[in-house]
Amino acid sequence: MTWADPEPRPDLAVSFRARVNGTWSDWQPLESGAADGPDPGSPDLPDGTPQARAVRGGTAPFYVGPADGVQVRVEQVGTPSRPLPRDLRLELIDPGASPADDDGNASDDGNAPDNEADATDDDAGTSPPEDDANAPPANDDPRTPDPDVSPTDAPPADAAVTAAQPRIHSRRAWGADESIRRCCVRYLDTIKVAFVHHTATSNGYSRSQVPKILRAIYAYHVKSRGWSDIGYNFLVDRFGRIWEGRAGGITKPVQGAHTGGFNSADSFGIAAIGTYQNRAPSSQLTQAIQRLIAWKLGLHFRNPEGSAVLVSAGGSTTKYKRGTRVTFHAIAGHLDAGRTGCPGRKLYARLPMIQAGVRQLMGAALWNPSVSASYLAPGGRLEIRAGVLTEQNWEVKIHRDSPDNAPVRTFSGRATPDRGTRAIRAVWDGRLEDGHPAPSGTYWITIDSWGGDRSARPYVAKIQVP
């Protein structure tokens, strides 16, 4: 259901039933207070061009399968009552057919090795059990002890970079119709926070139905709600498969329309396909979310156990006024930012477990590396810092002209995690290894770190010496 005003309406109780082979289903709710949507000033909003569509409010969509009839009822709850929204519409979305439907495993992409769990396809039309016996309780810590940190003075030659990119199925893999996508892609400066969502759709889908569900959500966001593209950056199904959502590049910080008020504030959105208010997510789904967040936060050197201050862009879908500075966990739920129950009680309760799993996957990663200045004044000093997640060795190298050149100065040490400080610290006074002042020119600073059989993604910064 959609309506003319883009504001969410949590005061409405919207429910539906579907008819299959002449038999009506039980009444089921449609989430009417969804707080996803674009920020004010977003490219998702109408731009005055002929193809621009009015942005509308709406419920979450629901995939009903092969039904031949549907009924919807709208009731008001709570007091005082408000007038019903203008221009209430029942939206019927046909996801259409696509070659992607021929392969429910979506094996087209070579984005990364396929490390998905070998999930079996439950019977279509049935929901996962109330609790996943394979998933630990929300407050359990699933982390295993960190592997022994290598005592050598150099990273192992075969050390794997922590939190490598998981396999991500492309938009082509789910049959996205790129002709309906509108306007432009906007990029953020970085990523600081991962917002976890659920789509509030059916849980009882099969592997082969997922591309249809993604196309339906895409069409609903663009054609019915008036957004420029699907709102989520990524979606994850209950079989542990990760899907590319909003276009613009999976490795890039693409601004989405997933968390009203904070889309433009250095965040990205992951949606779990299904409803997780009363049903627990599968272990395959939560593990896929862990792999995705670990990789994405690692790209931007973020601490999964840390926090970030984001500034609200305002709008009707967030509970924070424009300009409000809000501190979020690096891994947050949609309800932390908006007036919504998303990502559902059961999935939200798993966020501590997801955070612990992300930390373990990131292993020897660096977080918040920095160089105190990009210009070394005569007689000055540069301070080089970074945080670590495990006990590990580190090395800071100063190169002239190119990071590929031999270092002219090297610092090294062993770091221990400390939540209050950044554990790697080196100070360069502008002198070479032989003690002579560094000649003027361009210099590059690299930070490498490693522990056990894994090495951190190197951090590189450029500075000038006059």
Side-chain angles (χ1 to χ4, degrees), residues 82-109:
R82 298 170 59 185
L84 287 174
R86 292 182 298 107
D87 192 23
L88 274 167
R89 293 184 194 169
L90 171 60
E91 306 280 354
L92 300 178
I93 306 296
D94 179 3
S98 166
D101 300 334
D102 297 332
D103 180 12
N105 294 312
S107 58
D108 72 336
D109 305 280

Side-chain angles (χ1 to χ4, degrees), residues 296-316:
K296 199 72 172 177
L297 292 186
L299 284 179
H300 298 276
F301 299 102
R302 301 300 171 193
N303 182 358
E305 296 181 323
S307 61
V309 176
L310 305 183
V311 180
S312 174
S316 60

